[in-house]
Amino acid sequence: MVERNAVLGVVSVALGMVLSPGPNMMYLVSRSIGQGRRAGLVSLSGVVAGFLVYLAAANLGLAVLLAAFPQVLAAIRLAGAAYLLWLAWQAVRPGGVSVFAVRDVPPDPPRRLFAMGLMTNLLNPKIAVLYVSVIPQFVDMNRGDVLLQGVVLGALQIAVAATVNCSIVLAAGGVAGFLAHRPGWLRAQRIVMGGMLGVLAVALAVGGASS
C-alpha cells in the first residue's frame, strides 16, 4: 500500500522538521526546564492531540481533492519544497536563536499545560504546511486508497515527532546546561539541521520535475 520510499521520505522530513527550532520545541523545552519533566510531558500530550487534529482534517479533505485532481500533487510538491528551503534558511541564517535559549515561564496546572500544547501546535504554520504541502506529495495514486495512505504516513510523522519530543522533554534540562556555554555546538546543530532540510527540499523538487 505505502511504498518504502514514501515511508523513508516521511520519516526523514519528520526528523528534519522536529529537530529544527519551532514553536512546539520552544514551548516544550521552556516548560520542561521551567516547570519540570512532568509538565513537559503533559504539554507534549497536547501537542500530539494537535497532530491528530491535523491528521484527520488534512487527510479527509486531501483524499477527495487528490482523487478528483491528481495534478494538484505537482503544485503541492513544489510548495512543500519551497517551505523546506525556508526552514533550512531559518536554521542557518545569521542571528538565528537556538531553541535552548529559553525564557522563564510561570507554572501552570495540567489542564492549562495540555491546552497550551494543543493550541501551540494548532497555530503552528510549520505543522499546517507539513500536512497540506509536504506529506501529501508522498501519496501514490497508483497504490490504492489515498485516504488510508495519508493516515499511515501522517501516523508515521506523529510517531517520529512524539518520540523525538519526548526525548527532548526528558533531557531538556541537561542539554540546556551542556550547551549554554558551548556556542559552537549550538551553531553546528543549526547547520546540520538546515543542511538536512535543504537536501530534502532539493530532492523533493527534483523528484517532482522528473515525474
Side-chain angles (χ1 to χ4, degrees):
M1 179 192 63
V2 178
E3 63 177 2
R4 180 183 178 185
N5 289 339
V7 171
L8 294 176
V10 168
V11 169
S12 297
V13 170
L15 278 173
M17 295 185 75
V18 74
L19 291 173
S20 62
N24 288 345
M25 187 183 288
M26 291 290 291
Y27 177 67
L28 293 174
V29 170
S30 296
R31 281 299 168 188
S32 300
I33 295 176
Q35 199 174 337
R37 291 177 177 175
R38 182 179 179 183
L41 291 174
V42 174
S43 301
L44 175 58
S45 68
V47 170
V48 171
F51 282 129
L52 293 174
V53 172
Y54 271 116
L55 176 64
N59 280 290
L60 289 176
L62 287 171
V64 175
L65 177 65
L66 295 179
F69 304 101
Q71 64 272 22
V72 171
L73 276 173
I76 289 176
R77 183 176 289 110
L78 291 176
Y83 184 66
L84 289 176
L85 283 175
W86 181 81
L87 285 178
W89 166 246
Q90 292 300 307
V92 302
R93 69 183 176 85
V97 179
S98 169
V99 67
F100 290 98
V102 297
R103 300 181 176 88
D104 291 333
V105 292
D108 284 309
R111 180 179 299 181
R112 180 171 175 79
L113 291 172
F114 178 89
M116 290 176 68
L118 173 64
M119 293 309 298
T120 297
N121 203 13
L122 291 179
L123 298 177
N124 187 354
K126 179 178 176 180
I127 306 305
V129 175
L130 172 66
Y131 274 90
V132 173
S133 298
V134 179
I135 292 180
Q137 66 87 24
F138 292 102
V139 173
D140 189 341
M141 299 295 293
N142 299 317
R143 297 186 69 88
D145 194 321
V146 171
L147 175 59
L148 186 56
Q149 287 185 65
V151 170
V152 170
L153 294 174
L156 284 172
Q157 182 274 325
I158 293 174
V160 171
T163 300
V164 173
N165 280 321
C166 184
S167 300
I168 289 172
V169 165
L170 296 177
V175 173
F178 177 81
L179 295 177
H181 305 292
R182 294 172 174 83
W185 285 67
L186 289 174
R187 186 164 52 252
Q189 179 264 338
R190 290 169 51 203
I191 292 173
V192 169
M193 289 305 103
M196 183 177 180
L197 289 168
V199 169
L200 289 171
V202 172
L204 186 57
V206 172
S210 63
S211 62

